[in-house]
Amino acid sequence: MAASAPVAVCCPNCWKWTEVKNSSTCKRCGTPLVLPDGRRLDQARDGTAPTPVSLKAPTVSLAPLTVGTDWVSIARWIVAAHGALIVLGIFAIGLLVPTVTVPVVDPNTGQAILQTVNVRPLAALAAFIVIVFYAGFVWLTKYGIVRGLVLAVTVLEALATLGRMSSEASVGIAASIFALLVDAGVGFVLIMSFAAPQRRAPLHAEPQQPVLVGAGAPPPPPPPPPPPSPPPLQ
């Protein structure tokens, strides 16, 4: 069995490690020698030993245990979902309205002519800018000052929606009610991120109570007697 470095084998009976030699048994007791991976040396040389199986140890997280709802993560998911909806809306506009016709004034003649403009490159650029903006905004949501600013903007937006509901049609009123419900949900999550933040779990959640001996349980054994005193000196 060729190897670049000496291989040690162990006798499972004597628990003595020796270097691999020609013999596959222990010189002291004749027990078959065992390799470090658990295979018998004679079976490994014959090719009949089972293949060693590498066991994967379970992964252990070193992060501290926390209790309570992670409202900050919920707020970040809401911000990410809002940005995703805006990006999808931009892509929908680019697919449904690929070109627009706009009047352009000819500087030579001074007359306005209609020119067709492709919207898709502009829509792709706008979607990229929105993705970068919301990605940074999602990362900044973990800071309390950013969540406070978002909460203030949400409250102002809800007040503005309430102010214009009196002059809107029925369809506009339904859309405003939906916007108010969304603002209320976002505001609730942001308020809870300040009022009930996630905290570390205590090491001992409940103090351990002393074990009381019941009425039917036998009494504890008596203490051992003291050692005999030595005889007096004559």
mmCIF file of all heavy atoms in Angstrom, residues 69-79 141 147-148 150-151 154 181-197:
data_model
loop_
_atom_site.group_PDB
_atom_site.id
_atom_site.type_symbol
_atom_site.label_atom_id
_atom_site.label_comp_id
_atom_site.label_asym_id
_atom_site.label_seq_id
_atom_site.Cartn_x
_atom_site.Cartn_y
_atom_site.Cartn_z
ATOM 1 N N THR A 69 -41.300 39.665 17.344
ATOM 2 C CA THR A 69 -41.462 39.770 15.892
ATOM 3 C C THR A 69 -40.417 40.714 15.314
ATOM 4 O O THR A 69 -40.164 41.793 15.860
ATOM 5 C CB THR A 69 -42.875 40.274 15.551
ATOM 6 O OG1 THR A 69 -43.836 39.410 16.167
ATOM 7 C CG2 THR A 69 -43.100 40.274 14.052
ATOM 8 N N ASP A 70 -39.842 40.310 14.206
ATOM 9 C CA ASP A 70 -38.832 41.135 13.532
ATOM 10 C C ASP A 70 -39.557 42.130 12.631
ATOM 11 O O ASP A 70 -39.709 41.918 11.423
ATOM 12 C CB ASP A 70 -37.877 40.239 12.736
ATOM 13 C CG ASP A 70 -36.659 41.005 12.244
ATOM 14 O OD1 ASP A 70 -36.574 42.227 12.502
ATOM 15 O OD2 ASP A 70 -35.793 40.398 11.591
ATOM 16 N N TRP A 71 -40.025 43.234 13.210
ATOM 17 C CA TRP A 71 -40.767 44.237 12.444
ATOM 18 C C TRP A 71 -39.873 44.955 11.444
ATOM 19 O O TRP A 71 -40.355 45.428 10.406
ATOM 20 C CB TRP A 71 -41.404 45.241 13.402
ATOM 21 C CG TRP A 71 -42.442 44.649 14.292
ATOM 22 C CD1 TRP A 71 -42.318 44.343 15.616
ATOM 23 C CD2 TRP A 71 -43.776 44.266 13.921
ATOM 24 N NE1 TRP A 71 -43.477 43.793 16.098
ATOM 25 C CE2 TRP A 71 -44.399 43.735 15.078
ATOM 26 C CE3 TRP A 71 -44.497 44.306 12.735
ATOM 27 C CZ2 TRP A 71 -45.692 43.269 15.071
ATOM 28 C CZ3 TRP A 71 -45.799 43.842 12.723
ATOM 29 C CH2 TRP A 71 -46.391 43.337 13.879
ATOM 30 N N VAL A 72 -38.605 45.059 11.721
ATOM 31 C CA VAL A 72 -37.692 45.730 10.787
ATOM 32 C C VAL A 72 -37.605 44.946 9.472
ATOM 33 O O VAL A 72 -37.646 45.524 8.377
ATOM 34 C CB VAL A 72 -36.311 45.910 11.431
ATOM 35 C CG1 VAL A 72 -35.333 46.520 10.432
ATOM 36 C CG2 VAL A 72 -36.404 46.781 12.667
ATOM 37 N N SER A 73 -37.503 43.612 9.576
ATOM 38 C CA SER A 73 -37.461 42.799 8.358
ATOM 39 C C SER A 73 -38.772 42.896 7.588
ATOM 40 O O SER A 73 -38.783 42.923 6.350
ATOM 41 C CB SER A 73 -37.164 41.345 8.714
ATOM 42 O OG SER A 73 -35.876 41.219 9.289
ATOM 43 N N ILE A 74 -39.902 42.965 8.302
ATOM 44 C CA ILE A 74 -41.188 43.113 7.620
ATOM 45 C C ILE A 74 -41.243 44.446 6.882
ATOM 46 O O ILE A 74 -41.720 44.529 5.735
ATOM 47 C CB ILE A 74 -42.333 42.984 8.639
ATOM 48 C CG1 ILE A 74 -42.343 41.588 9.251
ATOM 49 C CG2 ILE A 74 -43.677 43.271 7.984
ATOM 50 C CD1 ILE A 74 -43.381 41.402 10.339
ATOM 51 N N ALA A 75 -40.741 45.510 7.526
ATOM 52 C CA ALA A 75 -40.712 46.816 6.858
ATOM 53 C C ALA A 75 -39.820 46.786 5.623
ATOM 54 O O ALA A 75 -40.158 47.381 4.583
ATOM 55 C CB ALA A 75 -40.226 47.880 7.838
ATOM 56 N N ARG A 76 -38.716 46.072 5.701
ATOM 57 C CA ARG A 76 -37.826 45.989 4.527
ATOM 58 C C ARG A 76 -38.495 45.229 3.387
ATOM 59 O O ARG A 76 -38.360 45.585 2.210
ATOM 60 C CB ARG A 76 -36.510 45.320 4.924
ATOM 61 C CG ARG A 76 -35.765 46.061 5.998
ATOM 62 C CD ARG A 76 -34.546 45.317 6.482
ATOM 63 N NE ARG A 76 -33.366 45.660 5.714
ATOM 64 C CZ ARG A 76 -32.146 45.222 5.988
ATOM 65 N NH1 ARG A 76 -31.963 44.417 7.021
ATOM 66 N NH2 ARG A 76 -31.124 45.566 5.257
ATOM 67 N N TRP A 77 -39.235 44.157 3.721
ATOM 68 C CA TRP A 77 -39.956 43.431 2.679
ATOM 69 C C TRP A 77 -41.037 44.303 2.049
ATOM 70 O O TRP A 77 -41.293 44.212 0.835
ATOM 71 C CB TRP A 77 -40.572 42.165 3.261
ATOM 72 C CG TRP A 77 -39.611 41.022 3.361
ATOM 73 C CD1 TRP A 77 -39.026 40.522 4.489
ATOM 74 C CD2 TRP A 77 -39.097 40.242 2.273
ATOM 75 N NE1 TRP A 77 -38.189 39.481 4.183
ATOM 76 C CE2 TRP A 77 -38.206 39.283 2.830
ATOM 77 C CE3 TRP A 77 -39.293 40.265 0.903
ATOM 78 C CZ2 TRP A 77 -37.534 38.354 2.048
ATOM 79 C CZ3 TRP A 77 -38.607 39.336 0.116
ATOM 80 C CH2 TRP A 77 -37.741 38.395 0.689
ATOM 81 N N ILE A 78 -41.686 45.149 2.840
ATOM 82 C CA ILE A 78 -42.712 46.046 2.276
ATOM 83 C C ILE A 78 -42.075 47.042 1.316
ATOM 84 O O ILE A 78 -42.610 47.304 0.217
ATOM 85 C CB ILE A 78 -43.457 46.767 3.423
ATOM 86 C CG1 ILE A 78 -44.312 45.770 4.207
ATOM 87 C CG2 ILE A 78 -44.319 47.892 2.884
ATOM 88 C CD1 ILE A 78 -44.991 46.363 5.409
ATOM 89 N N VAL A 79 -40.939 47.600 1.696
ATOM 90 C CA VAL A 79 -40.243 48.531 0.804
ATOM 91 C C VAL A 79 -39.805 47.830 -0.475
ATOM 92 O O VAL A 79 -39.943 48.363 -1.589
ATOM 93 C CB VAL A 79 -39.040 49.161 1.535
ATOM 94 C CG1 VAL A 79 -38.214 50.006 0.575
ATOM 95 C CG2 VAL A 79 -39.515 50.008 2.702
ATOM 96 N N THR A 141 -33.262 50.788 5.627
ATOM 97 C CA THR A 141 -34.437 50.662 6.486
ATOM 98 C C THR A 141 -34.077 50.119 7.861
ATOM 99 O O THR A 141 -34.846 50.276 8.811
ATOM 100 C CB THR A 141 -35.478 49.756 5.803
ATOM 101 O OG1 THR A 141 -35.726 50.255 4.485
ATOM 102 C CG2 THR A 141 -36.802 49.752 6.543
ATOM 103 N N ARG A 147 -36.566 54.833 9.065
ATOM 104 C CA ARG A 147 -37.936 54.376 9.293
ATOM 105 C C ARG A 147 -38.816 55.510 9.810
ATOM 106 O O ARG A 147 -40.000 55.596 9.493
ATOM 107 C CB ARG A 147 -37.957 53.198 10.263
ATOM 108 C CG ARG A 147 -37.226 51.972 9.752
ATOM 109 C CD ARG A 147 -37.606 50.741 10.538
ATOM 110 N NE ARG A 147 -37.394 50.880 11.966
ATOM 111 C CZ ARG A 147 -36.241 50.647 12.579
ATOM 112 N NH1 ARG A 147 -35.179 50.267 11.867
ATOM 113 N NH2 ARG A 147 -36.129 50.775 13.893
ATOM 114 N N GLY A 148 -38.238 56.404 10.620
ATOM 115 C CA GLY A 148 -39.000 57.555 11.081
ATOM 116 C C GLY A 148 -39.383 58.481 9.936
ATOM 117 O O GLY A 148 -40.508 58.993 9.892
ATOM 118 N N VAL A 150 -39.777 57.581 6.774
ATOM 119 C CA VAL A 150 -40.805 56.885 5.991
ATOM 120 C C VAL A 150 -42.159 56.971 6.684
ATOM 121 O O VAL A 150 -43.204 57.166 6.038
ATOM 122 C CB VAL A 150 -40.393 55.421 5.767
ATOM 123 C CG1 VAL A 150 -41.498 54.656 5.066
ATOM 124 C CG2 VAL A 150 -39.115 55.344 4.954
ATOM 125 N N LEU A 151 -42.170 56.861 8.005
ATOM 126 C CA LEU A 151 -43.423 56.978 8.746
ATOM 127 C C LEU A 151 -44.021 58.367 8.599
ATOM 128 O O LEU A 151 -45.245 58.522 8.410
ATOM 129 C CB LEU A 151 -43.177 56.652 10.221
ATOM 130 C CG LEU A 151 -44.389 56.735 11.156
ATOM 131 C CD1 LEU A 151 -45.476 55.767 10.703
ATOM 132 C CD2 LEU A 151 -43.971 56.450 12.591
ATOM 133 N N THR A 154 -45.495 58.647 5.148
ATOM 134 C CA THR A 154 -46.723 57.851 5.060
ATOM 135 C C THR A 154 -47.900 58.594 5.685
ATOM 136 O O THR A 154 -49.013 58.608 5.142
ATOM 137 C CB THR A 154 -46.515 56.501 5.755
ATOM 138 O OG1 THR A 154 -45.410 55.826 5.147
ATOM 139 C CG2 THR A 154 -47.756 55.632 5.615
ATOM 140 N N LEU A 181 -55.722 52.089 3.223
ATOM 141 C CA LEU A 181 -55.500 50.806 3.889
ATOM 142 C C LEU A 181 -54.021 50.402 3.813
ATOM 143 O O LEU A 181 -53.447 49.908 4.796
ATOM 144 C CB LEU A 181 -56.388 49.728 3.264
ATOM 145 C CG LEU A 181 -57.892 49.879 3.487
ATOM 146 C CD1 LEU A 181 -58.655 48.792 2.732
ATOM 147 C CD2 LEU A 181 -58.221 49.827 4.973
ATOM 148 N N VAL A 182 -53.413 50.612 2.651
ATOM 149 C CA VAL A 182 -51.987 50.296 2.517
ATOM 150 C C VAL A 182 -51.145 51.176 3.430
ATOM 151 O O VAL A 182 -50.221 50.708 4.116
ATOM 152 C CB VAL A 182 -51.556 50.441 1.048
ATOM 153 C CG1 VAL A 182 -50.040 50.280 0.924
ATOM 154 C CG2 VAL A 182 -52.258 49.417 0.179
ATOM 155 N N ASP A 183 -51.485 52.481 3.477
ATOM 156 C CA ASP A 183 -50.736 53.391 4.356
ATOM 157 C C ASP A 183 -50.913 53.003 5.826
ATOM 158 O O ASP A 183 -49.964 53.104 6.619
ATOM 159 C CB ASP A 183 -51.200 54.824 4.125
ATOM 160 C CG ASP A 183 -50.791 55.347 2.759
ATOM 161 O OD1 ASP A 183 -49.859 54.775 2.167
ATOM 162 O OD2 ASP A 183 -51.417 56.317 2.281
ATOM 163 N N ALA A 184 -52.116 52.561 6.182
ATOM 164 C CA ALA A 184 -52.344 52.149 7.565
ATOM 165 C C ALA A 184 -51.506 50.921 7.914
ATOM 166 O O ALA A 184 -50.918 50.839 9.007
ATOM 167 C CB ALA A 184 -53.825 51.860 7.786
ATOM 168 N N GLY A 185 -51.412 49.949 7.000
ATOM 169 C CA GLY A 185 -50.591 48.765 7.258
ATOM 170 C C GLY A 185 -49.121 49.101 7.370
ATOM 171 O O GLY A 185 -48.425 48.622 8.283
ATOM 172 N N VAL A 186 -48.630 49.955 6.467
ATOM 173 C CA VAL A 186 -47.220 50.354 6.525
ATOM 174 C C VAL A 186 -46.931 51.127 7.806
ATOM 175 O O VAL A 186 -45.913 50.910 8.478
ATOM 176 C CB VAL A 186 -46.859 51.170 5.282
ATOM 177 C CG1 VAL A 186 -45.440 51.714 5.381
ATOM 178 C CG2 VAL A 186 -46.995 50.323 4.024
ATOM 179 N N GLY A 187 -47.836 52.044 8.156
ATOM 180 C CA GLY A 187 -47.641 52.804 9.377
ATOM 181 C C GLY A 187 -47.636 51.922 10.621
ATOM 182 O O GLY A 187 -46.853 52.135 11.547
ATOM 183 N N PHE A 188 -48.506 50.898 10.649
ATOM 184 C CA PHE A 188 -48.540 49.986 11.794
ATOM 185 C C PHE A 188 -47.222 49.239 11.936
ATOM 186 O O PHE A 188 -46.677 49.110 13.044
ATOM 187 C CB PHE A 188 -49.696 49.006 11.628
ATOM 188 C CG PHE A 188 -49.737 47.931 12.671
ATOM 189 C CD1 PHE A 188 -50.194 48.200 13.947
ATOM 190 C CD2 PHE A 188 -49.298 46.633 12.388
ATOM 191 C CE1 PHE A 188 -50.222 47.211 14.929
ATOM 192 C CE2 PHE A 188 -49.321 45.643 13.350
ATOM 193 C CZ PHE A 188 -49.783 45.942 14.626
ATOM 194 N N VAL A 189 -46.686 48.746 10.825
ATOM 195 C CA VAL A 189 -45.413 48.015 10.877
ATOM 196 C C VAL A 189 -44.287 48.933 11.346
ATOM 197 O O VAL A 189 -43.442 48.544 12.178
ATOM 198 C CB VAL A 189 -45.102 47.399 9.509
ATOM 199 C CG1 VAL A 189 -43.697 46.813 9.485
ATOM 200 C CG2 VAL A 189 -46.115 46.326 9.156
ATOM 201 N N LEU A 190 -44.260 50.169 10.847
ATOM 202 C CA LEU A 190 -43.194 51.092 11.243
ATOM 203 C C LEU A 190 -43.311 51.479 12.714
ATOM 204 O O LEU A 190 -42.301 51.579 13.422
ATOM 205 C CB LEU A 190 -43.244 52.340 10.357
ATOM 206 C CG LEU A 190 -42.899 52.111 8.876
ATOM 207 C CD1 LEU A 190 -43.113 53.376 8.082
ATOM 208 C CD2 LEU A 190 -41.461 51.638 8.726
ATOM 209 N N ILE A 191 -44.536 51.683 13.192
ATOM 210 C CA ILE A 191 -44.706 52.015 14.602
ATOM 211 C C ILE A 191 -44.288 50.839 15.487
ATOM 212 O O ILE A 191 -43.626 51.017 16.520
ATOM 213 C CB ILE A 191 -46.167 52.428 14.873
ATOM 214 C CG1 ILE A 191 -46.467 53.770 14.189
ATOM 215 C CG2 ILE A 191 -46.437 52.538 16.367
ATOM 216 C CD1 ILE A 191 -47.910 54.189 14.280
ATOM 217 N N MET A 192 -44.648 49.619 15.095
ATOM 218 C CA MET A 192 -44.279 48.457 15.894
ATOM 219 C C MET A 192 -42.772 48.224 15.894
ATOM 220 O O MET A 192 -42.226 47.643 16.838
ATOM 221 C CB MET A 192 -45.004 47.219 15.371
ATOM 222 C CG MET A 192 -46.504 47.240 15.600
ATOM 223 S SD MET A 192 -46.946 47.407 17.340
ATOM 224 C CE MET A 192 -46.336 45.862 17.989
ATOM 225 N N SER A 193 -42.084 48.644 14.834
ATOM 226 C CA SER A 193 -40.625 48.494 14.829
ATOM 227 C C SER A 193 -39.968 49.352 15.908
ATOM 228 O O SER A 193 -38.855 49.043 16.360
ATOM 229 C CB SER A 193 -40.061 48.860 13.458
ATOM 230 O OG SER A 193 -40.229 50.250 13.201
ATOM 231 N N PHE A 194 -40.645 50.429 16.338
ATOM 232 C CA PHE A 194 -40.139 51.244 17.445
ATOM 233 C C PHE A 194 -40.731 50.803 18.784
ATOM 234 O O PHE A 194 -40.034 50.811 19.801
ATOM 235 C CB PHE A 194 -40.474 52.723 17.210
ATOM 236 C CG PHE A 194 -39.768 53.333 16.045
ATOM 237 C CD1 PHE A 194 -40.430 53.552 14.850
ATOM 238 C CD2 PHE A 194 -38.427 53.674 16.123
ATOM 239 C CE1 PHE A 194 -39.784 54.120 13.765
ATOM 240 C CE2 PHE A 194 -37.763 54.236 15.046
ATOM 241 C CZ PHE A 194 -38.440 54.460 13.855
ATOM 242 N N ALA A 195 -42.023 50.442 18.789
ATOM 243 C CA ALA A 195 -42.693 50.126 20.051
ATOM 244 C C ALA A 195 -42.341 48.741 20.572
ATOM 245 O O ALA A 195 -42.253 48.539 21.787
ATOM 246 C CB ALA A 195 -44.211 50.245 19.877
ATOM 247 N N ALA A 196 -42.174 47.771 19.694
ATOM 248 C CA ALA A 196 -41.885 46.386 20.115
ATOM 249 C C ALA A 196 -40.720 45.850 19.307
ATOM 250 O O ALA A 196 -40.887 44.969 18.458
ATOM 251 C CB ALA A 196 -43.119 45.500 19.938
ATOM 252 N N PRO A 197 -39.506 46.359 19.520
ATOM 253 C CA PRO A 197 -38.359 45.856 18.754
ATOM 254 C C PRO A 197 -37.978 44.452 19.186
ATOM 255 O O PRO A 197 -38.299 43.998 20.284
ATOM 256 C CB PRO A 197 -37.244 46.866 19.080
ATOM 257 C CG PRO A 197 -37.610 47.376 20.436
ATOM 258 C CD PRO A 197 -39.117 47.394 20.490
#
